[in-house]
Amino acid sequence: MTNVVETLDWLIAYWPDLLDARLPMATPRPWQQSEVSATMRAERDAQARVERIERSTFGLGQSPAPVDVSVLQTTLDVLVRADDLADELTEWSVCPPPAPPALGELDARPYLHAIRGVLLAEEDDLDEPGPWAALAEPTLTRMYEQVARCLAMLYTGQTVRVVCPWCGGVDVEHPAGGAWTWRVVELPGGQIAIVCMGVCEPPLRDVGTWWGGQPCWPIARWEWLAKHVHAADRGGRIAS
């Protein structure tokens, strides 16, 4: 249940950022810089010169879209998923269903709050996570990954430039520690996680799951993980 509620809280917190990202005046998303060969750079420069000619007063050229279409599509997709899931869960609970979104309304937060209320009410009634939490988790995880990827917060295969607070960055090549041993990986089923590739055995209470024998923290645990790294950097005790 904790992971599901954390996912909802994250989606609610980052929804304004997703809306801002669809506008052309938004701060550009920090895509990873890829390596470009001299040949590729020359081809791009030639293409850019052609485009400048086409966009002169003698050419029709192209006009920029008023919004980032890919971000808008993600926004609409997540909004529909949230609305559908809220309807499905509130139908079988005492929580009132939220009104459907009006034309042009792009706010998924009322539906995310409704889902959160149903799941917390279910936990209070059963004193443990119930069937609705299990039903909601795959959809919420999918929504989480869509938004995080759209905001350039997912880089599969990327090295996270942090020294693991549990193993100290100890691996085969760096027995003295200090290595960056965290990697962003896509697990089976499309779930995104951080995996420590070092000689790492954190306490079981601090591990989200295990992958290939290595400690692994799914994306829903990243905010929690960041707090632990910050505490370790300050020399504080890592709390569970």
Side-chain angles (χ1 to χ4, degrees):
M1 172 65 77
T2 300
N3 287 350
V4 176
V5 173
E6 286 177 352
T7 300
L8 283 163
D9 290 342
W10 189 93
L11 285 166
I12 291 167
Y14 278 95
W15 189 257
D17 296 272
L18 181 64
L19 293 182
D20 287 345
R22 81 191 195 283
L23 302 175
M25 69 284 296
T27 301
R29 286 172 284 161
W31 299 114
Q32 263 186 312
Q33 181 65 40
S34 57
E35 295 295 328
V36 181
S37 67
T39 301
M40 292 176 63
R41 186 177 296 107
E43 291 176 352
R44 291 184 181 181
D45 290 344
Q47 181 63 33
R49 287 193 292 272
V50 171
E51 289 180 357
R52 282 198 295 271
I53 294 172
E54 290 178 346
R55 295 180 186 181
S56 69
T57 55
F58 300 102
L60 294 177
Q62 298 177 352
S63 298
V67 295
D68 187 313
V69 177
S70 64
V71 178
L72 180 60
Q73 183 58 54
T74 297
T75 303
L76 294 172
D77 190 30
V78 173
L79 176 60
V80 170
R81 290 176 188 270
D83 183 23
D84 289 345
L85 184 59
D87 279 345
E88 186 175 4
L89 294 182
T90 56
E91 182 179 0
W92 305 106
S93 74
V94 297
C95 299
L103 183 64
E105 183 179 349
L106 295 175
D107 193 354
R109 288 172 294 184
Y111 313 100
L112 298 173
H113 279 296
I115 296 166
R116 192 178 190 278
V118 171
L119 298 183
L120 291 177
E122 177 188 46
E123 186 175 34
D124 288 341
D125 290 341
L126 301 178
D127 293 327
E128 61 181 15
W132 290 335
L135 174 68
E137 186 170 14
T139 300
L140 292 174
T141 298
R142 171 61 177 158
M143 292 159 60
Y144 197 126
E145 292 172 358
Q146 282 182 281
V147 174
R149 185 173 290 107
C150 197
L151 294 177
M153 298 174 73
L154 292 183
Y155 300 100
T156 302
Q158 181 186 9
T159 296
V160 182
R161 299 186 176 188
V162 168
V163 175
C164 177
W166 287 280
C167 71
V170 174
D171 61 13
V172 175
E173 297 182 359
H174 304 85
W180 293 331
T181 55
W182 284 4
R183 305 288 183 274
V184 179
V185 300
E186 183 172 352
L187 304 179
Q191 186 177 31
I192 304 298
I194 285 177
V195 177
C196 182
M197 300 299 186
V199 183
C200 192
E201 295 185 5
L204 292 178
R205 67 179 183 275
D206 292 338
V207 182
T209 184
W210 295 83
W211 182 77
Q214 298 297 125
C216 173
W217 294 272
I219 188 172
R221 299 276 282 172
W222 286 8
E223 184 174 354
W224 174 91
L225 194 59
K227 292 178 181 177
H228 279 55
V229 172
H230 184 59
D233 287 344
R234 293 183 302 172
R237 189 177 69 87
I238 299 177
S240 301

